[in-house]
């Protein structure tokens, strides 16, 4: 989603801005822009509805000696106003001196725009963010300092967002945020603001995360104002540069799919022992609970479904998933443990859900890949899922990390609550420890078998995904991957629901992917679709189209299931979605309309 960068550097501002915007490309965007202060106190503004590379090309025609090291930049993911150059950030005030980049939504934008227009301000875009430039302009006209002007402006705007303002006249840059990520860092080469630490690259050794009410100015040293008396903690920045490269892979998704078996082994090494002896849960210092509600969106919600099932199955603990954007409808008691599941930790729907009256009395445990996120700061405790950087917009390895980390938390908590004894936790962990091998085996089979299957689906308008029991959530995840990458419709159903309606969709050649974790009932459902001429792709044991399931099959495993169900089934479905998307000419790392970090509701 929208990305913000800003710099006050001794180096070239355009180079820094373009490089750091490139580092934020993975978040997803549809237009991009920069504004750089000129030596004469004006600004050069370049915007494009194409990629960051287009700005780099535009810069080649500019005399860079006319430019200073002061500038701001933005990648936009459209909300208010269509995708066009005039709607791309930075936006300016009427004087052309105030430049603004903004990530978020201004809920009272119409009202503010009407007031500003009747006061004589001229707008040159359709976007809500432009009101900020004009509000700051008014504040400056009344004699306010730039930092105060931004503070007062934020007070007048309803909603959440991160804002950076550059006054090209003075060359000052200030930033502030409300319920949206914004980080700042200082180095011997200058100071920088960004919505995501990836933008900093190797340039800084530490950073600070702005809190609601902070206002910071890029200066040496950084100048903190705003309503808070203290500064945010300084966090060490570990540059993940080598991790971000493609290392010979054609795209990040391919690399991230491949990383899953090794990642699973690393996670189990890290949390395995502390899950079985309960110390993982004890270290969180959370009170006892008698219900669980897992709040999330998209893939994280699917991962939450598997973790909820582990609470129910192993501890007979009532556990449900709650779609974050619908959380206002959830009825929760104060003894409900809320687990907020989020890769980015910045998902606006989740942050808003946690603000709801119905969740306010509950303790919140965040399971996130970003320990510096807004969610991590809001939660009462956090467990990192430690998947490393995931660049592909479609979640792959973070899903596996969330499932394994979440199931480890479940086992640990249930043990501490006396709902699962030590022998049982040990045996669950033994089952979990098979998972890295099962994932590796599934990966090998998927890479071999799936590409020709994908090629056969090139003309299929859509695909049905089926599962039963623990397989249903995996069918949901398979369908989500397919639609986000291929732009074809894909729906999932519990296989038993077929005959209650969806079976009407099945005709000669309809592709149906079945997560076949075994048992006679799903065999019956497979027969039902086969009898109607479906193009069946089963993911199961020997004899399946994709024989990728090992110990997750119902028959060979005690108690019927692996602790996290047929987790290895997700790999062939990731590979299927990626292969078909490539066959259709899609950009698998940056699917259209989607963003990695969904910071608007
Ligand atoms: C999955 O491939 C998508 N990227 C999306 O569904 C994602 O899982 C969802 O937006 C939640 O994001 P989060 O984990 O960062 O909260």
């Amino acid at each position: 989603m929208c990305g913000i960068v800003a710099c006050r550097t001794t180096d070239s501002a355009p180079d820094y801005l373009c490089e750091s915007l490139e580092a934020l490309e993975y978040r997803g965007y549809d237009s991009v822009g920069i504004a750089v202060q000129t030596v004469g106190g004006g600004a050069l503004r370049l915007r494009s509805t194409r990629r960051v590379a287009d700005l780099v090309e535009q810069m080649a025609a500019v005399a860079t000696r006319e430019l200073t090291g002061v500038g701001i930049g933005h990648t936009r993911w459209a909300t208010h106003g269509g995708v066009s150059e005039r709607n791309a950030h930075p936006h300016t005030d009427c004087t052309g001196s105030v430049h603004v980049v903004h990530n978020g939504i201004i809920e009272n934008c119409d009202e503010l725009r009407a007031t500003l227009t009747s006061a004589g301000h001229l707008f040159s875009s359709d976007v809500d963010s432009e009101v900020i430039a004009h509000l700051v302009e008014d504040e400056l006209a009344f004699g306010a300092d730039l930092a105060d002007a931004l503070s007062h402006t934020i007070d007048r705007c309803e909603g959440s967002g991160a804002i950076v303002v550059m006054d090209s006249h003075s060359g000052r840059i200030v930033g502030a945020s409300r319920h949206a990520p914004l980080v700042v860092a200082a180095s011997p080469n200058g100071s920088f603001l960004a919505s995501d630490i990836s933008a900093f690259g190797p340039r800084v050794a530490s950073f600070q995360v702005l809190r609601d009410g902070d206002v910071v100015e890029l200066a040496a040293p950084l100048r903190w104002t705003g309503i808070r008396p203290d500064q945010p903690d300084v966090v060490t920045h570990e540059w993940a540069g080598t991790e971000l490269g493609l290392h010979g892979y054609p795209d990040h998704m391919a690399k991230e799919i491949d990383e899953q078996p090794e990642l699973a082994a690393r996670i189990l090494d890290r949390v395995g022992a502390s899950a079985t002896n309960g110390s993982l849960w004890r270290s969180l210092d959370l009170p006892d609970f008698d219900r669980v509600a897992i709040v999330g969106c998209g893939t994280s919600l699917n991962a939450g479904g598997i973790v909820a099932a582990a609470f129910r199955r192993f501890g007979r603990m009532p556990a449900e998933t709650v779609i974050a954007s619908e959380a206002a409808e959830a009825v929760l008691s104060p003894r409900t443990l809320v687990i907020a599941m989020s890769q980015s930790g910045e998902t606006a729907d989740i942050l808003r859900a946690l603000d709801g009256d119905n969740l306010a009395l509950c303790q919140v445990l965040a399971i996130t890949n970003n320990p510096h996120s807004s969610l991590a700061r809001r939660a009462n405790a956090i467990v990192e899922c430690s998947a490393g950087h995931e660049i592909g917009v479609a979640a792959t390895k973070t899903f596996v990390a969330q499932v394994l980390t979440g199931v480890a938390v479940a086992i640990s908590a249930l043990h501490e609550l006396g709902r699962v004894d030590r022998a049982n936790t040990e045996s669950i962990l033994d089952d979990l420890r098979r998972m890295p091998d099962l994932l590796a085996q599934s990966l090998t089979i998927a890479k071999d078998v799936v590409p020709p299957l994908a090629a056969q689906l090139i003309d299929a308008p859509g695909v049905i995904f089926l599962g039963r029991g623990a397989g249903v959530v995996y069918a949901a995840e398979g369908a989500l991957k397919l639609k986000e990458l291929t732009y074809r419709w894909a729906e999932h159903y519990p296989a038993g629901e077929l005959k209650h309606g969806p079976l009407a969709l099945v005709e000669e050649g309809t592709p149906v992917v079945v997560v076949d974790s075994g048992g006679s009932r799903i065999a019956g459902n497979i027969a039902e679709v086969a009898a109607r001429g479906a193009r069946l792709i089963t993911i199961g044991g020997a004899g399946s189209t994709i024989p990728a399931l090992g110990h997750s099959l119902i028959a060979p495993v005690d108690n019927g299931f692996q602790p996290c169900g047929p987790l290895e089934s997700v790999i062939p479905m990731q590979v299927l979605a990626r292969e078909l998307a490539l066959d259709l000419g899609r950009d698998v790392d940056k699917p259209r309309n989607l963003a990695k970090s969904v910071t608007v509701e």
Side-chain angles (χ1 to χ4, degrees):
M1 207 141 264
C2 301
I4 287 176
V5 298
C7 64
R8 188 185 179 79
T9 169
T10 49
D11 300 331
S12 154
D15 287 354
Y16 170 78
L17 295 172
C18 290
E19 265 175 46
S20 52
L21 286 172
E22 254 166 20
L24 296 186
E25 280 191 312
Y26 79 97
R27 293 165 65 98
Y29 68 105
D30 40 45
S31 55
V32 59
I34 58 172
V36 180
Q37 189 205 23
T38 60
V39 181
L44 169 77
R45 182 168 57 153
L46 299 176
R47 296 182 290 176
S48 169
T49 52
R50 294 192 286 157
R51 312 307 288 176
V52 178
D54 188 42
L55 290 187
V56 176
E57 268 177 38
Q58 290 187 42
M59 271 312 301
V62 173
T64 46
R65 65 176 183 284
E66 299 294 328
L67 302 175
T68 71
V70 174
I72 58 178
H74 189 264
T75 46
R76 173 173 186 250
W77 190 87
T79 53
H80 286 61
V83 179
S84 63
E85 204 175 297
R86 70 192 286 275
N87 285 342
H89 298 221
H91 292 286
T92 61
D93 68 337
C94 299
T95 70
S97 176
V98 175
H99 289 73
V100 167
V101 287
H102 169 233
N103 174 10
I105 289 182
I106 300 169
E107 287 166 6
N108 57 338
C109 149
D110 291 346
E111 193 187 310
L112 290 170
R113 185 183 271 255
T115 310
L116 287 160
T117 305
S118 59
H121 286 271
L122 295 174
F123 280 79
S124 53
S125 78
D126 310 317
V127 303
D128 54 346
S129 313
E130 192 185 341
V131 300
I132 298 167
H134 296 282
L135 289 171
V136 170
E137 176 189 355
D138 274 358
E139 291 287 340
L140 294 178
F142 282 117
D145 174 74
L146 185 65
D148 294 336
L150 178 55
S151 272
H152 298 159
T153 296
I154 287 190
D155 288 345
R156 291 188 61 187
C157 296
E158 288 166 17
S160 57
I163 303 171
V164 174
V165 179
M166 174 179 85
D167 177 3
S168 61
H169 195 60
S170 62
R172 292 175 68 193
I173 291 180
V174 290
S177 84
R178 186 162 59 197
H179 304 309
L182 192 63
V183 289
V184 64
S187 83
N189 292 340
S191 46
F192 310 93
L193 274 159
S195 45
D196 180 329
I197 52 174
S198 324
F200 296 146
R203 294 175 194 85
V204 306
S206 62
F207 63 91
Q208 288 167 286
V209 182
L210 273 78
R211 305 157 301 182
D212 292 351
D214 286 327
V215 178
V216 70
E217 176 169 354
L218 295 188
L222 295 173
R223 198 170 302 135
W224 292 90
T225 50
I227 58 173
R228 291 179 177 261
D230 59 336
Q231 288 185 19
D233 294 340
V234 176
V235 184
T236 307
H237 180 44
E238 284 162 27
W239 166 234
T242 51
E243 196 191 321
L244 301 181
L246 278 171
H247 296 271
Y249 283 93
D251 50 73
H252 288 283
M253 187 180 185
K255 175 171 173 270
E256 287 156 7
I257 289 173
D258 264 20
E259 285 171 2
Q260 294 176 106
E262 211 183 300
L263 171 64
R266 265 204 325 270
I267 290 173
L268 292 170
D269 278 352
R270 188 172 55 85
V271 295
S274 61
T276 52
N277 65 24
S279 61
L280 173 58
W281 176 254
R282 283 198 303 280
S283 70
L284 302 177
D285 204 19
L286 289 169
D288 290 357
F289 58 94
D290 49 30
R291 266 196 109 79
V292 177
I294 304 186
V295 182
C297 315
T299 289
S300 294
L301 185 70
N302 289 338
I306 296 150
V307 177
F311 274 106
R312 293 193 299 267
R313 191 174 307 135
F314 298 123
R316 312 296 304 160
M317 169 77 77
E320 62 187 319
T321 51
V322 176
I323 299 170
S325 54
E326 296 294 330
E329 298 297 316
V331 179
L332 304 176
S333 67
R335 277 179 63 86
T336 302
L337 171 69
V338 170
I339 298 181
M341 188 76 94
S342 175
Q343 181 280 128
S344 63
E346 299 295 352
T347 301
D349 287 322
I350 297 179
L351 297 170
R352 174 59 72 99
L354 298 181
D355 280 347
D357 290 345
N358 54 345
L359 272 72
L361 296 175
C362 301
Q363 291 287 307
V364 176
L365 168 63
I367 297 183
T368 177
N369 205 29
N370 182 357
H372 309 298
S373 57
S374 306
L375 174 62
R377 293 197 300 282
R378 159 66 180 83
N380 302 93
I382 80 157
V383 176
E384 275 184 66
C385 62
S386 306
H389 234 82
E390 187 175 70
I391 305 286
V393 164
T396 51
K397 63 175 179 170
T398 52
F399 173 77
V400 165
Q402 288 171 327
V403 168
L404 292 173
T405 308
V407 169
V409 168
I411 299 165
S412 181
L414 292 170
H415 177 264
E416 283 305 285
L417 294 171
R419 287 175 176 255
V420 180
D421 63 26
R422 182 68 187 264
N424 241 322
T425 60
E426 294 287 359
S427 115
I428 295 167
L429 185 67
D430 285 346
D431 282 339
L432 278 176
R433 286 208 163 112
R434 292 175 180 160
M435 206 31 95
D437 285 345
L438 295 177
L439 291 168
Q441 181 189 315
S442 174
L443 183 59
T444 308
I445 293 168
K447 283 184 178 174
D448 183 33
V449 176
V450 172
L453 292 173
Q456 291 163 19
L457 299 187
I458 192 126
D459 294 321
V463 181
I464 295 174
F465 287 75
L466 301 175
R468 274 195 100 106
V472 174
V473 187
Y474 291 101
E477 179 56 15
L480 179 62
K481 274 314 71 109
L482 196 102
K483 56 191 142 199
E484 66 181 329
L485 287 160
T486 67
Y487 321 153
R488 295 276 162 89
W489 66 260
E491 297 304 330
H492 82 280
Y493 302 99
E497 273 291 291
L498 260 195
K499 54 194 172 298
H500 301 291
L503 196 54
L505 294 169
V506 178
E507 58 188 6
E508 197 65 35
T510 307
V512 178
V513 175
V514 186
V515 179
D516 177 10
S517 37
S520 59
R521 282 184 294 168
I522 196 145
N525 301 132
I526 291 172
E528 281 161 14
V529 285
R532 278 139 188 107
R535 165 87 188 76
L536 260 171
I537 299 174
T538 54
I539 304 171
S544 302
T545 325
I546 309 172
L549 296 195
H551 284 275
S552 304
L553 293 168
I554 287 180
V557 175
D558 298 342
N559 309 322
F561 291 104
Q562 271 279 18
C564 33
L567 177 60
E568 69 272 35
S569 68
V570 80
I571 291 188
M573 292 187 284
Q574 294 167 347
V575 175
L576 177 67
R578 176 178 171 276
E579 289 291 333
L580 182 55
L582 289 173
D583 289 347
L584 291 165
R586 316 294 193 221
D587 181 341
V588 293
D589 284 341
K590 300 183 195 93
R592 72 179 180 198
N593 302 339
L594 301 181
K596 188 70 187 162
S597 195
V598 185
T599 48
V600 294
E601 287 170 61

